Amino acid sequence: MAPEPHLACWQGWGGEIMADHGTWPRAGVRRAEAARSRPRQAAPTRAEARRPEPSWPRVIATTVRLWLGRHPVAGLKVTGWRLLALVACAMLAISAAIVAVAIGSSTTTTSLPRTSSQANSGSQLSTSLQAATTARTSAARWIAAQVSPNAIVACDPAMCAALQASGVDAGRLLVLGTSVGDPLGSDLVVATPALRNQFGARLAGVYAPVAIASFGSGAARIDIRAVAADGTAAYDSALAADRSARIAAGGQLIDNRHITMSAAAQAVLRAGQVDPRLLTMLAALAAQQPLRIVAFGDPSPGASAAIPLRSVEIAPAPAGGGTAARLRTMLSFLRAQQVPYLPMEAVLVRQAALSVEYGAPSPLGLLSGT
């Protein structure tokens, strides 16, 4: 059979390459001239077109032979078995590359879901830690600003550290740990997730039944709760009696002819929702000069409905000449009081009114003398 026009054969290592019945020297200096002088090849016949493509081993062998023929290595003779070894090495290299690409693709594909899941888990953990930190910081700042300076606060070690960082004196803190097993002896307990896990249902059911403020939500929620020194039943009874006394005192303020107020303020007084210290202070001020109740308020987020309002904004009545002097007189009176009637804050607002605020928690039995 005549040799295929597109195939080449070798005659030994270091010999001459015969292609298309022409002779090319090994050094290849006349390859360009031979290519230009070679006649144009005829188109392949149908039989030749149907011939199968050479196999991969044959292609690799041809490639190796061509490379060695054009890049001879001095002193090296390639026999049949050496050529076979070179072909085998080339095939192994190509196979290794294919396998490496396949493994790399498979690893990338399978690792993507895991990486995404880990990223989501890390993001959720970071969000939870941030929520817990935010709630703890907010609770610490609120206690430093709103709780009476003589109140004892029970807390876990981390919360106590946050309270000290916010300016609360260490002498006012009762650290709940292995040496202190309950919050009794304190006025307030900061119910963090750690303390809820430690005390369980006893925290609200036995030691501290009412929340006076709350921060955060879900697992990160922190409640500031009033401690029931004599037990939950005694605390609930005292709270109910105190509310009745507040309703009666509020009614007297509504009927006081030296006090004017809005319908909203009257509703709050009738419901017994005003701190007993405010009620006593308003009655004492009205005995000195006419005044107007602008509004009641309470900066206690998340407090129970049973907790009374601890702040009020008041102004001289009627407004007119001498307002500034009358405000200064009221302010001097308030700052001259003794605990528990000394306000935590009493300041002028808008140069026409006075803001008065008492610290948490609100005392029970003050109006009845118990």
Side-chain angles (χ1 to χ4, degrees):
M1 177 182 294
E4 299 180 15
H6 64 284
L7 294 179
C9 63
W10 279 295
Q11 293 180 345
W13 178 254
E16 296 179 348
I17 300 175
M18 309 295 293
D20 295 332
H21 309 290
T23 302
W24 291 4
R26 180 183 57 187
V29 293
R30 292 193 297 273
R31 277 180 282 186
E33 289 80 0
R36 285 194 296 270
S37 63
R38 187 171 52 201
R40 186 184 299 271
Q41 295 180 356
T45 63
R46 290 185 179 181
E48 291 171 338
R50 287 196 300 269
R51 289 176 185 172
E53 293 293 331
S55 63
W56 271 107
R58 189 172 181 181
V59 171
I60 295 172
T62 301
T63 303
V64 172
R65 282 178 173 175
L66 285 172
W67 190 90
L68 291 175
R70 297 171 184 175
H71 303 78
V73 181
L76 178 63
K77 292 184 178 180
V78 181
T79 59
W81 68 268
R82 287 179 178 172
L83 180 60
L84 182 60
L86 289 171
V87 172
C89 290
M91 292 183 66
L92 286 174
I94 294 174
S95 300
I98 294 173
V99 170
V101 171
I103 291 176
S105 176
S106 174
T107 303
T108 302
T109 303
T110 55
S111 65
L112 281 176
R114 189 183 311 148
T115 302
S116 177
S117 175
Q118 290 173 350
N120 291 336
S121 177
S123 177
Q124 292 174 357
L125 178 60
S126 177
T127 301
S128 299
L129 290 175
Q130 182 62 39
T133 300
T134 300
R136 183 165 56 247
T137 301
S138 298
R141 290 175 177 174
W142 184 89
I143 292 172
Q146 297 293 324
V147 172
S148 297
N150 59 344
I152 304 299
V153 181
C155 45
D156 64 54
M159 190 68 231
C160 285
L163 286 170
Q164 289 189 63
S166 295
V168 179
D169 188 85
R172 296 174 51 201
L173 302 178
L174 178 65
V175 183
L176 298 178
T178 55
S179 59
V180 180
D182 60 61
L184 297 178
S186 63
D187 299 294
L188 300 173
V189 58
V190 187
T192 57
L195 289 191
R196 286 198 295 271
N197 290 334
Q198 178 178 344
F199 293 108
R202 292 181 300 136
L203 188 60
V206 176
Y207 299 121
V210 177
I212 66 172
S214 184
F215 301 88
S217 61
R221 191 187 82 253
I222 294 179
D223 298 328
I224 290 85
R225 309 185 73 90
V227 173
D230 298 323
T232 301
Y235 183 88
D236 290 341
S237 177
L239 187 61
D242 193 74
R243 181 173 179 269
S244 297
R246 296 197 303 267
I247 292 174
Q252 293 178 11
L253 291 180
I254 294 173
D255 296 336
N256 192 319
R257 61 187 180 86
H258 292 141
I259 300 176
T260 59
M261 66 189 77
S262 65
Q266 291 183 22
V268 171
L269 288 169
R270 288 194 177 97
Q273 295 178 338
V274 179
D275 186 283
R277 293 166 294 185
L278 280 179
L279 295 172
T280 304
M281 180 270 297
L282 290 171
L285 282 175
Q288 295 184 6
Q289 60 174 297
L291 60 89
R292 177 172 57 94
I293 297 176
V294 179
F296 291 103
D298 189 9
S300 300
S304 168
I307 299 302
L309 305 179
R310 297 180 290 105
S311 68
V312 67
E313 186 175 320
I314 56 177
T323 299
R326 294 168 63 191
L327 282 172
R328 286 194 298 269
T329 300
M330 295 166 66
L331 186 59
S332 298
F333 174 81
L334 291 169
R335 290 177 175 175
Q337 300 302 308
Q338 300 294 318
V339 177
Y341 298 106
L342 177 65
M344 192 172 190
E345 183 179 71
V347 294
L348 293 172
V349 291
R350 299 186 303 277
Q351 301 301 316
L354 190 65
S355 177
V356 183
E357 183 178 303
Y358 284 93
S362 297
L364 298 179
L366 189 62
L367 295 174
S368 60
T370 59

